[in-house]
Amino acid sequence: MYLTTRGLVLREAKYKESDKILTILTETDGKISAKARGVQRTRSKIAAASQLLSFSDFTFFGSRGKWTINEAESLEQFRALRGDIELLALGSYIAELLEAVANENVPEPEILQLGLNALYALSNRLCPPAQVKAAFELRLMSLAGYRPQLDECAGCGRREPESGRLFPEHGELFCPECRAVGGLRMDRSVIDAMRYILDADPRRVFAFRLPEAELRALGGVTEAYALYELDRAFGSLDYYKKLRKDT
């Protein structure tokens, strides 16, 4: 059985002498695992298309759960990321998040498109990396079923409070009068940015502006929210933050 589809390589693992096992988020079949035979050899025709963060046309042979790449042609390699170790680390974190939320053999085109848009924004420096990271984290959580409720205070029902605290365990926002401690503290600029990210057209998710201090605050909230909801650590995130600290 043959399967032809496009997909983004989320993870690669060496296998035997010259092979790799790839985790690929595809357009038609969700997340799949596939063997790339001979891909570590110098003359491999599918090496470029099968590397981490490559978006490629793939033809697989096999059946669900046991795929082997028969042909592959690269469509986008996001080359700028490979020349900047900090951006590559952030791109790897994006891939790791995608792998964490994507389901096997279930098409999730919105999640794939968000990942591609985030990598494109990073590669082409459309906005600060911290902005791409924050917007991607929050929008991905929404697509994965963890959308926070930011339209009103969960305690008193006040519409669009100007500040408050977000409690990840319920995804609820409380105004200062209802909850003065706990949760993730947010001011109006962060709340407004989060509302924009959640509801923006998919092509405009990263198209907003925040001063540096407010962007740091936004990033702190979105990262904490994503890590809480997924209940796990990410090695690529730890590495990215170490690089940021060292620079």
Side-chain angles (χ1 to χ4, degrees):
M1 170 180 180
Y2 286 94
L3 169 66
T4 299
T5 186
R6 299 193 296 180
L8 176 66
V9 179
L10 303 181
R11 182 159 56 94
E12 56 182 3
K14 292 183 179 180
Y15 181 70
K16 295 184 177 180
E17 249 186 60
S18 59
D19 301 346
K20 287 183 180 181
I21 302 297
L22 306 181
T23 301
I24 304 169
L25 182 56
T26 69
E27 286 184 331
T28 59
D29 287 62
K31 182 174 65 176
I32 68 173
S33 178
K35 182 187 295 184
R37 288 178 174 165
V39 74
Q40 297 186 70
R41 294 178 184 145
T42 305
R43 296 182 180 180
S44 171
K45 295 181 179 179
I46 64 170
S50 301
Q51 63 183 332
L52 181 67
L53 302 183
S54 287
F55 181 58
S56 306
D57 264 324
F58 290 101
T59 297
F60 303 97
F61 177 76
S63 60
R64 292 184 183 275
K66 293 184 179 180
W67 294 110
T68 297
I69 298 174
N70 195 55
E71 295 178 357
E73 181 179 354
S74 177
L75 299 173
E76 175 60 70
Q77 292 185 311
F78 305 106
R79 293 183 183 277
L81 302 184
R82 306 179 195 282
D84 186 315
I85 190 170
E86 191 175 304
L87 291 182
L88 182 59
L90 184 50
S92 298
Y93 172 55
I94 287 171
E96 207 173 351
L97 279 175
L98 289 170
E99 184 180 1
V101 305
N103 294 304
E104 295 183 1
N105 304 317
V106 178
E108 295 178 302
E110 288 182 294
I111 288 177
L112 173 58
Q113 191 59 58
L114 175 64
L116 292 173
N117 289 348
L119 294 173
Y120 181 85
L122 275 183
S123 184
N124 290 276
R125 302 180 184 272
L126 299 185
C127 54
Q131 184 167 320
V132 176
K133 174 180 175 292
F136 174 78
E137 287 168 332
L138 183 60
R139 185 70 169 230
L140 183 66
M141 289 303 96
S142 178
L143 292 176
Y146 303 108
R147 179 187 174 102
Q149 302 304 311
L150 304 178
D151 294 333
E152 63 182 25
C153 172
C156 65
R158 180 192 302 179
R159 295 291 297 175
E160 299 186 352
E162 295 189 359
S163 63
R165 294 176 182 271
L166 176 64
F167 287 78
E169 57 265 38
H170 307 296
E172 294 177 332
L173 175 67
F174 289 84
C175 70
E177 287 74 19
C178 291
R179 292 282 183 93
V181 295
L184 305 171
R185 185 179 178 278
M186 305 187 297
D187 63 17
R188 182 58 184 264
S189 63
V190 171
I191 295 173
D192 284 346
M194 291 176 69
R195 289 174 180 149
Y196 173 84
I197 293 166
L198 290 170
D199 295 324
D201 182 280
R203 295 165 296 181
R204 303 286 297 170
V205 170
F206 307 103
F208 62 93
R209 293 186 179 181
L210 274 183
E212 186 175 348
E214 283 85 348
L215 185 56
R216 284 199 301 270
L218 172 65
V221 171
T222 59
E223 180 183 305
Y225 189 74
L227 295 182
Y228 180 91
E229 299 301 346
L230 297 177
D231 191 26
R232 55 162 290 186
F234 293 88
S236 53
L237 174 61
D238 294 337
Y239 183 57
Y240 170 70
K241 293 167 78 169
K242 181 181 183 299
L243 291 173
R244 293 282 293 167
K245 186 176 180 181
D246 291 345
T247 55

